Amino acid sequence: MTTVEFSPAAEPLAAKLLEPALEILARYPAGRERSALLPLLHLVQTEEGHVSPNGVAFCADILGINKAQVGAVATFYTMYKRRPTGEYLVSVCTNTLCNVMGGQEVYDGLVEHLGVGHDETTADGKITLEHAECLAACDYAPVVTVNYDFTIDQATPESAVELVEKLRQDERPTPSRGARICSLREMQYQLAGFADPREGAVGDGVAGAPTLRGVRLAQEHGVAVAGFDPDTPITKTKPARDESALPPRTDEAAKPIEAKPEGKVASVVKKAATAVKSAAGAVADKVGEHRHAGRTTDTGDVKDPEVRAAESRNPTGDTPGDPAATSPAPSNPAERAGVASNQPAGDGKPAGDTERGESIVTERNAEQKQATVDPNPGWQNVPRGTEEEK
C-alpha cells in the first residue's frame, strides 16, 4: 500500500504519521492489514495523546474500513483514551488485595492532593489520575503505575503524593523496579511496536524480592527438579521420557503394591456405588422396554420406528397422504368424536394461506362480530375481515 486517499479530517495526521503507519502495515500479510488497527491507534496517541475523531478517520482511511469499526475498537480497550490525557497517567490499583492493603487510601490521598477524580487531568496537563481494577502485582500491593510501568510498590498516600509532585516538576524518579519512567506519548510509541530512541529507555531493573520469594525458598531448602538443566532449549514437541534421569528402581519399588484392606467406611461406600450403578442400569432397561413396547422391527432395518412410520405416511415429504387411510383408528368413543369433528389437514401452510384457512378465518370473524357490543372497539380489537369486506 503506497497511495491512500485521506479525508480532510485525516489529512493533518497523515502528513505526520503516514510513514510509520505504512511500516506497521508491512508487518502483516497481504489482505490481513486490518489486524494493524491496534498498533495504529497507539501510533495516533503518540501525536495527540488520545484517540481523537481525526485519529479515528486516519485509521479508517489507511485500513479501508469505516469509522464505526475503528470506534468500536477504540472504545473497548481502556488503554485508548477518548479525550486529552496528561503527560503522565498515574494509575492506582483499588482491586481486592490492593484495597485491603490500603490502595483506596492511596487513591483518596491523590484525589485530595491533585483536586481531580477518576480519568480527570490536572489544570497544568501533567497528571491524569485513574483507579485501576487490577495491575497484576498482588505480591507488591498496593501498587501505583505511571504510564503502565510499575513505579511504587507497597505504596502509601505519602509516597504517592511525593511521586506526583516530582512528576509535576519535570522530574522522573527512579521506579522501584522495571522500566524507567517515560511520558504517555513515549509509551504509546513503544506500544505501537517501535524501539524507544531515548538513552536508557529500556528497563534495567531486576525482579523484586516478593517475586523471587519462591525461588529463594527452594534454594534454601534444596528443592530442585531432578535432572533439570536451565540451559536446555525449550522444544516444540514433547520430548521422550528420559529413564536415566529417574532414580534407579530398587527391589522394594519393583514389587507389586499389595492392596490394603479396606476399612468399614470404604466398604460401605463401595457397596453403595455398586448398588447405584445396578439401579441405574435397571431403570435404563425399563425405559428401553417401555419405548419399544409393541413394536416389531426387522433386524435388517436400522431405521428408527418413528422415522419409518413417518415415511410410510408421507413418502415424498411434500404432500401429506390421506389421513383417513394412514392414521390409526381411535380407540375410544371420545377420541372418535373428536377426530370426526376435525377438518382434514391442509398443505402445512399457516391458516390464512389456504382456502380452508380463509374459511376458518371468515367463520371466526363472523362469530366475533356477533359477540361485539361496542360498535367501535378500537384498533386493538378490530377483527380481520375477508377479501369481500376489504
Side-chain angles (χ1 to χ4, degrees):
M1 180 183 297
T2 56
T3 59
V4 181
E5 294 184 2
F6 290 101
S7 62
E11 286 180 355
L13 282 176
K16 302 177 181 179
L17 301 179
L18 180 58
E19 183 177 351
L22 294 177
E23 184 177 342
I24 292 176
L25 293 181
R27 303 171 187 167
Y28 298 86
R32 301 292 181 88
E33 291 86 358
R34 182 173 176 176
S35 299
L37 177 56
L38 298 181
L40 282 175
L41 288 171
H42 286 299
L43 181 65
V44 167
Q45 293 192 137
T46 65
E47 185 65 30
E48 298 187 323
H50 70 293
V51 180
S52 65
N54 292 344
V56 171
F58 171 75
C59 293
D61 290 346
I62 198 170
L63 294 177
I65 58 180
N66 58 54
K67 291 185 288 187
Q69 292 171 309
V70 177
V73 175
T75 56
F76 182 82
Y77 296 102
T78 58
M79 295 181 74
Y80 300 126
K81 305 303 179 183
R82 298 310 306 272
R83 56 183 179 179
T85 306
E87 184 177 357
Y88 299 102
L89 175 66
V90 178
S91 306
V92 183
C93 183
T94 56
N95 210 334
T96 306
L97 185 54
C98 280
N99 202 343
V100 171
M101 300 300 292
Q104 188 64 46
E105 287 77 6
V106 174
Y107 176 79
D108 293 341
L110 289 175
V111 169
E112 182 177 356
H113 178 76
L114 297 173
V116 296
H118 171 67
D119 202 23
E120 294 180 352
T121 305
T122 56
D124 57 6
K126 288 288 186 178
I127 307 294
T128 295
L129 179 65
E130 70 173 5
H131 67 77
E133 284 301 313
C134 182
L135 296 177
C138 298
D139 45 351
Y140 298 95
V143 293
V144 177
T145 64
V146 175
N147 297 328
Y148 309 116
D149 281 329
F150 294 109
T151 306
I152 305 180
D153 295 330
Q154 299 173 345
T156 63
E158 294 75 20
S159 62
V161 169
E162 181 182 358
L163 167 68
V164 296
E165 278 305 308
K166 289 183 177 180
L167 294 176
R168 297 178 76 176
Q169 296 172 11
D170 294 327
E171 298 181 18
R172 295 188 179 185
T174 303
S176 56
R177 58 192 169 92
R180 300 180 182 180
I181 293 179
C182 61
S183 69
L184 180 66
R185 299 190 183 191
E186 292 168 343
M187 172 56 66
Q188 295 301 319
Y189 192 73
Q190 298 176 32
L191 293 176
F194 298 98
D196 193 333
R198 295 179 302 122
E199 182 180 356
V202 179
D204 54 2
V206 296
T211 301
L212 301 176
R213 179 61 175 165
V215 177
R216 297 284 184 261
L217 289 174
Q219 293 175 345
E220 292 174 6
H221 296 280
V223 179
V225 179
F228 174 72
D229 182 5
D231 297 327
T232 301
I234 300 176
T235 59
K236 295 183 179 180
T237 58
K238 186 177 180 180
R241 185 176 182 179
D242 185 6
E243 298 290 344
S244 61
L246 300 177
R249 292 175 60 87
T250 61
D251 294 339
E252 293 295 331
K255 293 181 179 180
I257 300 175
E258 297 180 359
K260 296 182 179 180
E262 295 181 348
K264 293 183 179 181
V265 176
S267 301
V268 172
V269 172
K270 186 175 181 180
K271 291 180 180 179
T274 304
V276 170
K277 291 182 179 179
S278 301
V283 171
D285 294 340
K286 290 293 183 181
V287 171
E289 294 175 2
H290 178 71
R291 291 185 62 184
H292 297 282
R295 297 181 182 179
T296 57
T297 304
D298 186 2
T299 56
D301 188 359
V302 296
K303 291 182 179 179
D304 185 271
E306 295 179 358
V307 176
R308 186 170 55 256
E311 291 180 351
S312 65
R313 294 193 182 103
N314 188 4
T316 61
D318 53 2
T319 303
D322 184 5
T326 58
S327 301
S331 58
N332 56 69
E335 186 178 354
R336 284 195 295 272
V339 171
S341 63
N342 291 336
Q343 299 189 30
D347 56 359
K349 297 179 179 180
D353 295 340
T354 63
E355 295 180 1
R356 183 181 67 83
E358 290 293 344
S359 64
I360 294 174
V361 173
T362 303
E363 293 174 1
R364 290 180 179 176
N365 289 342
E367 295 175 358
Q368 291 177 1
K369 286 183 178 181
Q370 294 175 1
T372 301
V373 177
D374 188 352
N376 184 19
W379 66 271
Q380 298 95 333
N381 301 322
V382 174
R384 177 181 177 185
T386 61
E387 293 297 332
E388 291 79 9
E389 293 173 342
K390 294 177 181 177

